[in-house]
Amino acid sequence: LVVSWSSEDLSKHTLRVDASTREQLENFEADVKALEAFFPGMKRRKRQERLVGDEKVQVGVFWCGNESASCAREIKQAVESIYKSHSPPLSLSCQIYNSSDYVSEDNISLVNIVCISKECLQGDAVAKLFLELWNKLTASRAIIVPVILEDYMKIIIDNKKFARWWPETITGMEKYRIFHEYKSDEASMRRMYQDVMTKLRQGQASLQDSLSVSSQNKLLCEDCMRDVNKFVEVGEYDL
């Protein structure tokens, strides 16, 4: 939620609120009404309710093939479960997409988890659609969390291509070299959840913040990942 205030002259003041979800706007409206009730002399001279754009999906999970579909379902369930366990004031929107779902630049999720298995290398129509969607995410400089499944991890190890592990047809992945090796145990899921939440909180701010968080070649210490206001870089690594 980003709130900005501008004043052209003494007679006109503008309060602008940018949010990723309708729920955030509704909560902000409730706070403004509470403020007006506390200060009876505070009045709005003119009220404009103008919603621009569609509500953003906060976390999108992308898959291609049976193995990554199962992975996507488990990730969605884990992210939602861990999030709800903290009793947050706002709900979290998390949606699964397959390779045939249409995703435009206007409705790309705030954080995009890409489940990668060797099925995306099969060269069939489904795999090609998935790779096109993946390229669309990198071209738009979206926030991406790559999740590598066991079968694709074996390809990386066999080829010894840790510095450039993604398929040759994918461009712009240099920003996203660091990936999560998919494991369904609780500790692994929680590490991935922390990464998703960190990028989600930072990416909802300014455009510059969104672009800076797009680089996953910088690692944060575990303590800093718990508090978005205490970011300290551990270091930058060339893999």
Side-chain angles (χ1 to χ4, degrees), residues 5-16:
W5 174 276
S6 62
S7 179
E8 296 181 3
D9 52 52
L10 295 178
S11 62
K12 185 177 181 180
H13 307 277
T14 303
L15 182 66
R16 173 173 173 165

Side-chain angles (χ1 to χ4, degrees), residues 55-65 68-69 72-73 76 93-104 107-115 130 133 137:
E55 186 174 9
K56 284 280 189 182
V57 173
Q58 291 167 294
V59 181
V61 189
F62 299 84
W63 62 271
C64 173
S68 59
R73 289 192 294 268
K76 180 178 185 294
S93 58
C94 184
Q95 186 168 329
I96 295 177
Y97 301 92
N98 62 35
S99 55
S100 61
D101 289 328
Y102 175 73
V103 178
S104 68
N107 65 357
I108 288 176
S109 305
L110 297 177
V111 174
N112 303 272
I113 302 174
V114 181
C115 302
F130 178 78
L133 188 151
L137 292 177

